[in-house]
Amino acid sequence: MSRVVVIGSGIAGLIAAVEASRHHSVTLITKSNLAESNTHYAQGGIAAVSSDDDTVAEHIADTLVAGAGLCWPEAVDVLCSEGPGRINDLVALGVDFDRQGEQFARGLEAAHSHARVLHAGGDATGAGISNALVAAVRATNTEIHEHTFLVDIAIEKHATEKDAAGRSQVAGVHVFDTTGTRFIAADIVILASGGAGQLFRHTTNPAVTTGDGVAAALRAGAVLADVEFYQFHPTALAVPGSFLISEAVRGEGAVLINAAGERFMKALHPMAELAPRDIVARGIQSQMMAQGGQPVLLDATALGASFLSERFPSISAACRSYGLNWATTPIPVTPAAHYWMGGVATDDWGRTSIPGLYAVGEVASTGAHGANRLASNSLLESIVFAHRAVSNLGQPWPEDAPAARWGAQGPLLELDLTETVGRPSTQVVDRVELQTMMWDNVGLARTRTTLESTLDQIHAWRPADPAHRLFPDWEDANLLLLAQALTESALARHESRGGHYRLDYPETNPALARPLTIARKV
Ligand SMILES: Cc1cc2nc3c(=O)[nH]c(=O)nc-3n(C[C@H](O)[C@H](O)[C@H](O)COP(=O)(O)OP(=O)(O)OC[C@H]3O[C@@H](n4cnc5c(N)ncnc54)[C@H](O)[C@@H]3O)c2cc1C
């Protein structure tokens, strides 16, 4: 029996805790309440083959196309072939997917060759999954610590039976709560702390999404991969705290119009509003720049009030809560940071480059999404790899985990952390200024000049003094570090591919179809 600490209570952390608690002593740490996570807000659903007219081979092919030449094929194979089994696990844990007769109801989403997206409560899939898994974890003997913040991952260096090479390995975690900072010893840490949408001024992600786990892993010495690839969703409601307006709304016939009332997407792509996500997002952004930063409008009025409230109950409720009636009036929308393809590099069992440290869910870079994620594959990735990580507990840690994915050359970029940690200089970072700069310079379209000026500003900031930090200060320190990692990686990738678009390198370069890795300089 191992002492396992799980960080995060989205789908990945909850599955990991529920499954690990069957054989191990588990402590679950989460920085807000158990139900607060990206998972809770997921709308469209979870992709998996569940019908005779669909095949795993086709799900694999669709995922590889979306990944723009950068997927790790073994990870994609695992994702799509093990997905249906993990859906059965979710059902056994109480997730009530919508049905049509005996079968799962299946939605069709962009770039899927078949209708294979399972959903719950219409567009409330994430809440359905989160509520069932929160109840499931509470029914186990997992020790749960809510409102407790992962600060750092502790490592120690000694040879063990399982790692004769004597590499540094996990010893526990430093956490922060109302009583201050304390240490929790562990044999295994499973990081499931999600992405970092809060790096950008516009995001569909909730406030907890500040990349703390990725930053802690980087400080501990873990290798990160693909961090330059961020997916920007074209349509979030342009209100404080943004709210995702699902692609399915455009799929049903809603159109985008500019301040002059013109449908601008028709001139930009033959598929107009249903062009690939990155093209629609960039189309909206250039309209916004041309109209002084004003959001564009999504016109769903032709769909009718009763259809909108039945098909999109959550979005209808969100519009109402902001005083908007989308059945009668077009609503303001903007692109927004949505999903991080990059993260802590793992192998196909969730193992990172630090023995004892697993990373699962959005915090990880398994290679399953490559340079761009296929819609509804992220909830699937979370359950497939959380299950795999738990089933791997107790196994020896191979010396090359997870390096097989990027070959023998080791990390390509090294970050000098002394530049952002403990630097005596200048000004304490301002979150809104950082988010605005990242949105403007490292968002939908990047150039060498904007990336370099961003790095200059990042180097002119420092985090607050660790001795006086509260939750938001720890988060700001992490956001500053990740802004540096993302910007340096974006600067180093001299091409456009998937979620990374360089105005100065607009083409995809086949010679660069490999992951870019980054680690702490030692
Ligand atoms: C609006 C929206 C709609 C989406 N729709 C879909 C969809 O339809 N289909 C799909 O597949 N994907 C969708 N996604 C993406 C998907 O929801 C996420 O990728 C997925 O839920 C990630 O799960 P996770 O468990 O890895 O992380 P999360 O669900 O983000 O959970 C992370 C957890 O870690 C905790 N945490 C973070 N930092 C710390 C810290 N320092 N200390 C302690 N705890 C910490 C958080 O509080 C949270 O509980 C959507 C995302 C959003 C935002």
Side-chain angles (χ1 to χ4, degrees):
M1 188 192 257
S2 302
R3 291 167 307 168
V4 178
V5 169
V6 176
I7 308 292
S9 59
I11 185 171
L14 292 169
I15 285 283
V18 167
E19 296 196 356
S21 66
R22 293 175 188 148
H23 303 289
H24 303 277
S25 144
V26 179
T27 304
L28 175 62
I29 305 289
T30 192
K31 77 176 177 188
S32 177
N33 56 56
L34 273 184
E36 185 58 358
S37 59
N38 265 3
T39 299
H40 197 86
Y41 301 93
Q43 293 180 357
I46 180 162
V49 172
S50 71
S51 63
D52 294 341
D53 63 346
D54 192 6
T55 63
V56 166
E58 287 166 289
H59 191 185
I60 290 174
D62 295 344
T63 303
L64 292 172
V65 169
L70 217 72
C71 291
W72 176 240
E74 282 88 334
V76 177
D77 195 60
V78 163
L79 176 80
C80 300
S81 51
E82 296 185 10
R86 300 293 74 79
I87 295 290
N88 292 339
D89 296 349
L90 285 182
V91 172
L93 288 168
V95 178
D96 189 13
F97 287 112
D98 297 334
R99 304 234 173 203
Q100 257 177 345
E102 296 285 288
Q103 308 292 320
F104 291 128
R106 291 175 284 122
L108 177 64
E109 288 189 358
H112 284 275
S113 55
H114 288 275
R116 62 167 76 99
V117 179
L118 314 188
H119 43 85
D123 61 0
T125 308
I129 292 175
S130 172
N131 293 341
L133 296 183
V134 166
V137 82
R138 287 203 191 279
T140 68
N141 56 4
T142 300
E143 191 179 314
I144 296 168
H145 297 267
E146 296 178 280
H147 306 286
T148 304
F149 190 100
L150 167 76
V151 171
D152 266 317
I153 300 158
I155 55 168
E156 62 189 10
K157 195 170 173 65
H158 63 80
T160 66
E161 245 174 67
K162 296 219 174 83
D163 188 57
R167 286 175 296 173
S168 297
Q169 50 201 290
V170 157
V173 289
H174 298 283
V175 299
F176 178 78
D177 61 14
T178 47
T179 63
T181 307
R182 63 198 162 87
F183 176 69
I184 302 176
D187 310 307
I188 299 290
V189 172
I190 302 181
L191 263 188
S193 48
Q198 292 296 328
L199 270 171
F200 298 95
R201 187 175 72 220
H202 300 291
T203 180
T204 61
N205 294 187
V208 290
T209 317
T210 51
D212 307 322
V214 183
L218 179 60
R219 282 191 295 269
V223 175
L224 312 185
D226 297 339
V227 292
E228 66 276 31
F229 295 107
Y230 224 106
Q231 186 178 79
F232 295 91
H233 198 285
T235 52
L237 202 54
V239 290
S242 312
F243 183 88
L244 178 71
I245 307 293
S246 166
E247 203 145 36
V249 176
R250 279 172 283 128
E252 297 290 356
V255 296
L256 291 161
I257 52 178
N258 61 18
E262 292 153 357
R263 267 185 80 185
F264 55 90
M265 279 310 301
K266 284 209 294 195
L268 298 178
H269 194 278
M271 294 177 73
E273 282 82 3
L274 293 177
R277 263 183 196 179
D278 55 323
I279 293 176
V280 181
R282 281 197 295 277
I284 293 175
Q285 194 190 38
S286 50
Q287 286 296 315
M288 286 175 64
M289 283 164 76
Q291 52 193 48
Q294 285 304 305
V296 301
L297 297 171
L298 181 70
D299 187 350
T301 54
L303 303 184
S306 59
F307 175 82
L308 288 174
S309 58
E310 269 166 42
R311 175 72 179 85
F312 302 110
S314 306
I315 300 174
S316 298
C319 287
R320 272 196 305 277
S321 74
Y322 288 104
L324 301 168
N325 181 352
W326 72 326
T328 56
T329 315
I331 51 172
V333 291
T334 169
H338 187 53
Y339 181 82
W340 203 2
M341 276 72 73
V344 186
T346 71
D347 68 5
D348 297 343
W349 298 96
R351 290 179 296 215
T352 71
S353 55
I354 299 179
L357 179 65
Y358 292 83
V360 292
E362 193 168 337
V363 71
S365 169
T366 60
H369 305 302
N372 215 349
R373 170 194 72 126
L374 183 65
S376 290
N377 261 358
S378 44
L379 292 169
L380 186 70
E381 184 202 38
S382 299
I383 48 169
V384 165
F385 288 92
H387 174 82
R388 286 199 134 223
V390 172
S391 61
N392 187 259
L393 296 181
Q395 299 297 316
W397 207 273
E399 254 185 67
D400 64 348
R405 185 144 69 92
W406 58 81
Q409 80 268 36
L412 296 179
L413 288 177
E414 292 193 320
L415 267 197
D416 185 353
L417 299 196
T418 55
E419 298 235 50
T420 50
V421 178
R423 191 157 30 90
S425 71
T426 59
Q427 208 190 333
V428 171
V429 60
D430 177 292
R431 173 136 9 150
V432 175
E433 279 185 42
L434 177 69
Q435 290 169 325
T436 304
M437 181 178 72
M438 290 297 289
W439 178 256
D440 291 343
N441 295 352
V442 196
L444 285 147
R446 304 156 173 182
T447 69
R448 184 168 72 88
T449 319
T450 58
L451 293 170
E452 283 178 350
S453 75
T454 301
L455 278 176
D456 287 346
Q457 180 56 54
I458 286 171
H459 291 149
W461 273 322
R462 66 182 165 80
D465 179 353
H468 305 116
R469 283 184 197 170
L470 299 173
F471 272 29
D473 304 308
W474 292 107
E475 291 175 343
D476 287 349
N478 290 331
L479 289 170
L480 184 60
L481 178 58
L482 296 178
Q484 186 187 352
L486 201 156
T487 308
E488 291 207 3
S489 301
L491 193 55
R493 186 169 283 280
H494 294 175
E495 63 164 349
S496 292
R497 181 189 293 276
H500 167 74
Y501 184 73
R502 289 275 304 249
L503 284 166
D504 45 355
Y505 295 100
E507 305 298 330
T508 299
N509 180 349
L512 298 180
R514 59 193 160 85
L516 207 157
T517 49
I518 185 161
R520 186 188 73 186
K521 190 172 179 178
V522 281

